[in-house]
Amino acid sequence: MRLAVLDKDRCQPKMCGGQCIKFCPRVRTGDETIIMGEDEKPVISEELCSGCGICVNRCPFGSILIIGLPEKLEQPTHRYGKNGFALYGLPVPTIGKVTGILGPNGIGKSTAINILSGTQKPNLGKGKITWDDILEYYAGTTLHDYLEGISKGNVKTSQKPQYVDMIPKKFKGKVFDLLSKTDERGILGDLIMKLDIASIIDRKIEELSGGELQRVALAACISKEADFYFIDEISPYLDIFQRIKAAQIIRELAEKKAVMVVEHDLAILDLLADVVHVAYGTPGGFGVITHPKGVRIGINEYLKGFLREENIRIRSVPIEFEVHAPQATKDVSSLLKFEQFIKKYDGGFELEASGGQIRKGEVTGIVGPNGIGKSTFVKILAGEIEPTTGKLDMNLKVSYKPQYIKAEEPVMVSDFLSSINKQFGTSFYETEIIKPLQLERLLNQTLNDLSGGELQRVAIAACLSRTADLYLLDEPSAHLDVEQRVLATKVIRRFAENNRVSAMVVDHDIYMIDMLSDRLLVFEGQPMMRGEVHGPFEMRTGMNRFLKNIGITFRRDEETRRPRVNKLDSQLDRTQKAEGEYYYSVEKN
């Protein structure tokens, strides 16, 4: 079976002259394999298409995908019209469990959640369809009763959206006004305390930061009375402390309810979920949702790229976690030595750095809670702000990617990156930055049309494109899926090593920090009041100190070597804490 997918937003037949039609071999022989539709966009016949791929290569806008599907796939669960994205399969909500969905962006996870939450009706790949047709198709399956309840309005759902920064556009007023309307379970007071949002309860929604909006959105979702709860990404904008607290709250909810979570932070997903459905396919083309798997098995199969039960290889190269040996100090020259400095703000916050050294060719990870001064520290090194006491004598060129990225001007991505890149030739730039960050399909789009994840990858490329000695990246994992985070990690590491430059990365994804960093800066103190900068430490020393502050321990999975958070107060958790080894113990089973 073959799918032909056309991205109508990218397709510009008036500019290319319909090259897909002109060069299609079947069209040249007289078949109507590709015709121009009523909307003046090409329509590709999947029955007549031979799968030669000429139209894919000839399209100057990268708007066509021709995909050979696995033979077992038959009728889609949902398809967005002729030559549109197709989704196969649905995850199964289960009372008393947290069900995770793991897969890349653009693979249909949000579509699946929209169907299960009742906001979107599955069409089984057809035009007009009734609920009777849908229920007949799912007769005898575990989803039949659930979908029947949805069709009759007997199943009440609550959903936390993926992009919480859209909330201020839909709701005006104070935080308390929003939450009081959603508190159908009478647990608002408890949630305010657990999520630490008491200090913002009287503020206006439009005044909140990303992390504050994320916690308010989670409180609004959980406080509703519902049968099933769907939570689309809890980790963006939250620090590791807040992520673990949110995971604990969701676990408590799942004791009596059914909860489904989409999450790209594998450490949190591993801690949070009981089972996972792996989503695979071609982003923007088609997606397949597997049957549920044990959380450890599902994550490991996803990382290795082979789904054993389905006998499907979803990735040619496995995602591997390497244990980095520390570089020999004598072989590493120093880029920057900074002495003790203090930065004070009028509001009362104070950041103190005890002094340290940044080495050439290394990546230094920066970890700590939100509001502790990490971004302030990065801005001081970037020269954007000056310390109150102490002086940094930095005769360095610095390239800085900020935490929050906005694109307001309609500039083409290719023009934007070309205007910044003054140091690399075309071949190197495409090989080391454009292709690894999967930017080829974005080059002909404008910045203000990009999604959060697409804009993040462009911002990383822009940061690395500038001529500099020190590259500072603030939360490069935000809005990226698992594979994109791994690719970004490799790009940053290879860039620093090959060009003998230094990189400093602030991030809350422990997997990314673990794969990326040679050494670690640890921030401690009291958020919004006082911050202290310690290090850089070697990874084991730094992670032990950081994880002890959080109160969690890690082990490495013996199959994939990935970090796994030990269950709180488990035997292994207690043993590692007693030994002072928060990072790592190798898993034995």
Side-chain angles (χ1 to χ4, degrees):
M1 184 177 176
R2 184 176 294 111
L3 281 185
V5 180
L6 176 72
D7 189 331
K8 292 188 177 182
D9 292 332
R10 295 178 187 272
C11 179
Q12 303 291 334
K14 292 182 180 179
M15 297 179 65
C16 73
Q19 293 199 30
C20 56
I21 298 177
K22 290 180 180 179
F23 288 94
C24 174
R26 299 295 294 267
V27 171
R28 289 186 167 191
T29 62
D31 289 339
E32 293 187 337
T33 306
I34 307 177
I35 62 174
M36 199 61 71
E38 294 180 359
D39 60 353
E40 298 185 348
K41 303 281 186 178
V43 178
I44 306 171
S45 170
E46 293 168 345
E47 293 77 14
L48 296 177
C49 176
S50 64
C52 65
I54 291 176
C55 61
V56 177
N57 294 323
R58 282 289 180 175
C59 178
F61 304 105
S63 62
I64 300 175
L65 291 173
I66 304 295
I67 305 163
L69 291 179
E71 292 181 3
K72 293 183 180 179
L73 296 181
E74 297 177 358
Q75 190 168 356
T77 303
H78 188 79
R79 190 166 191 190
Y80 291 93
K82 180 71 173 179
N83 297 147
F85 176 87
L87 174 68
Y88 295 83
L90 285 174
V92 183
T94 306
I95 296 174
K97 288 186 177 180
V98 177
T99 302
I101 309 177
L102 173 61
N105 289 331
I107 210 73
K109 302 187 300 298
S110 294
T111 296
I113 281 187
N114 289 336
I115 291 172
L116 293 175
S117 65
T119 59
Q120 188 168 339
K121 182 180 176 182
N123 61 18
L124 303 183
K126 304 175 182 179
K128 294 181 179 180
I129 192 170
T130 66
W131 272 111
D132 288 338
D133 297 327
I134 297 169
L135 295 176
E136 181 181 354
Y137 179 77
Y138 282 99
T141 70
T142 53
L143 277 169
H144 177 272
D145 292 344
Y146 178 81
L147 291 175
E148 185 177 37
I150 287 290
S151 69
K152 295 179 178 179
N154 296 333
V155 176
K156 190 173 182 182
T157 64
S158 180
Q159 184 174 358
K160 188 203 81 66
Q162 178 182 7
Y163 296 109
V164 296
D165 48 0
M166 300 298 291
I167 294 176
K169 297 181 180 180
K170 297 182 178 180
F171 181 86
K172 302 295 182 183
K174 293 184 178 181
V175 173
F176 182 77
D177 297 334
L178 170 63
L179 294 181
S180 59
K181 291 179 181 179
T182 63
D183 187 25
E184 299 170 350
R185 300 175 61 208
I187 59 170
L188 182 57
D190 188 45
L191 285 175
I192 288 174
M193 180 186 66
K194 289 182 176 179
L195 290 170
D196 192 24
I197 55 176
S199 60
I200 64 170
I201 202 72
D202 292 322
R203 285 168 56 189
K204 294 181 179 179
I205 291 290
E206 58 266 29
E207 297 174 352
L208 302 185
S209 68
E212 291 166 343
L213 278 173
Q214 188 70 265
R215 285 175 285 160
V216 168
L218 183 60
C221 173
I222 290 177
S223 62
K224 291 181 181 178
E225 184 62 58
D227 302 297
F228 298 96
Y229 294 81
F230 300 93
I231 300 171
D232 204 346
E233 294 191 40
I234 62 167
S235 62
Y237 307 117
L238 299 186
D239 63 40
I240 185 64
F241 297 82
Q242 295 164 340
R243 293 180 187 192
I244 289 176
K245 175 59 70 176
Q248 292 171 343
I249 293 171
I250 295 170
R251 291 291 313 174
E252 292 173 5
L253 174 68
E255 291 176 2
K256 298 181 180 179
K257 304 287 185 176
V259 182
M260 189 165 288
V261 176
V262 173
E263 183 53 60
H264 295 303
D265 185 330
L266 293 184
I268 297 302
L269 182 65
D270 195 9
L271 179 67
L272 185 60
D274 297 293
V275 296
V276 297
H277 294 263
V278 176
Y280 68 93
T282 300
F286 80 103
V288 182
I289 308 290
T290 69
H291 294 298
K293 303 172 182 285
V295 64
R296 176 177 178 270
I297 293 173
I299 293 177
N300 282 359
E301 287 187 357
Y302 180 78
L303 293 175
K304 288 188 285 187
F306 180 72
L307 306 179
R308 187 180 300 276
E309 184 180 349
E310 291 77 11
N311 195 29
I312 291 288
R313 181 161 295 283
I314 62 174
R315 190 183 306 106
S316 58
V317 179
I319 296 174
E320 297 177 339
F321 292 82
E322 301 175 3
V323 183
H324 300 294
Q327 295 188 34
T329 306
K330 64 180 180 180
D331 296 332
V332 182
S333 56
S334 175
L335 173 75
L336 165 69
K337 290 184 180 179
F338 58 94
E339 304 297 330
Q340 182 182 23
F341 67 84
I342 296 175
K343 175 63 180 178
K344 293 182 180 180
Y345 287 95
D346 294 338
F349 180 78
E350 179 179 313
L351 175 68
E352 180 178 356
S354 56
Q357 175 182 244
I358 306 301
R359 301 171 182 168
K360 289 183 179 179
E362 278 193 349
V363 179
T364 303
I366 300 178
V367 294
N370 285 336
I372 206 71
K374 300 187 301 299
S375 293
T376 296
F377 178 79
V378 166
K379 288 178 181 178
I380 290 174
L381 292 188
E384 289 196 3
I385 58 178
E386 294 287 334
T388 306
T389 62
K391 185 177 180 181
L392 271 70
D393 187 17
M394 291 181 59
N395 294 318
L396 302 174
K397 289 184 178 179
V398 178
S399 180
Y400 174 48
K401 186 204 81 68
Q403 178 181 8
Y404 298 107
I405 308 166
K406 293 183 179 180
E408 298 177 353
E409 297 183 9
V411 180
M412 294 279 284
V413 172
S414 56
D415 294 337
F416 171 68
L417 293 178
S418 297
S419 67
I420 294 173
N421 176 33
K422 304 299 182 184
Q423 61 172 329
F424 301 119
T426 302
S427 178
F428 177 89
Y429 196 63
E430 289 182 354
T431 304
E432 297 298 319
I433 295 178
I434 296 296
K435 289 183 179 179
L437 289 174
Q438 299 177 334
L439 298 179
E440 302 102 313
R441 288 173 58 83
L442 305 181
L443 294 177
N444 292 323
Q445 290 187 258
T446 57
L447 289 176
N448 56 344
D449 288 335
L450 301 183
S451 68
E454 292 169 341
L455 192 59
Q456 184 71 259
R457 285 179 282 145
V458 171
I460 294 170
C463 178
L464 300 181
S465 299
R466 299 184 182 97
T467 303
D469 304 298
L470 178 62
Y471 294 82
L472 305 175
L473 298 101
D474 202 344
E475 296 201 35
S477 74
H479 302 303
L480 300 186
D481 62 38
V482 175
E483 296 190 47
Q484 291 167 347
R485 294 180 188 199
V486 172
L487 291 172
T489 296
K490 291 181 177 179
V491 168
I492 296 168
R493 271 198 69 87
R494 187 165 57 234
F495 184 86
E497 292 173 353
N498 293 348
N499 295 284
R500 298 297 296 165
V501 294
S502 301
M504 301 183 74
V505 178
V506 179
D507 214 284
H508 297 297
D509 186 323
I510 296 296
Y511 278 45
M512 191 168 192
I513 287 292
D514 185 60
M515 290 190 293
L516 189 64
S517 307
D518 296 296
R519 295 192 301 159
L520 211 61
L521 273 170
V522 181
F523 281 64
E524 299 173 352
Q526 185 177 353
M528 310 306 295
M529 298 292 293
R530 176 180 53 82
E532 300 172 359
V533 186
H534 300 279
F537 301 106
E538 298 302 328
M539 282 298 290
R540 173 166 289 277
T541 303
M543 285 297 288
N544 263 326
R545 181 165 185 158
F546 175 56
L547 295 176
K548 185 176 181 179
N549 293 338
I550 304 174
I552 62 174
T553 56
F554 271 24
R555 68 189 185 279
R556 280 199 188 275
D557 185 271
E558 64 177 5
E559 276 190 66
T560 60
R561 308 297 294 168
R562 66 182 173 91
R564 300 193 70 193
V565 181
N566 292 321
K567 300 296 183 184
L568 191 64
D569 207 33
S570 65
Q571 181 178 352
L572 188 55
D573 181 59
R574 295 195 303 270
T575 299
Q576 286 185 226
K577 286 177 178 176
E579 295 173 350
E581 289 292 343
Y582 290 74
Y583 173 88
Y584 282 112
S585 172
V586 176
E587 186 174 300
K588 299 298 183 183
N589 51 27

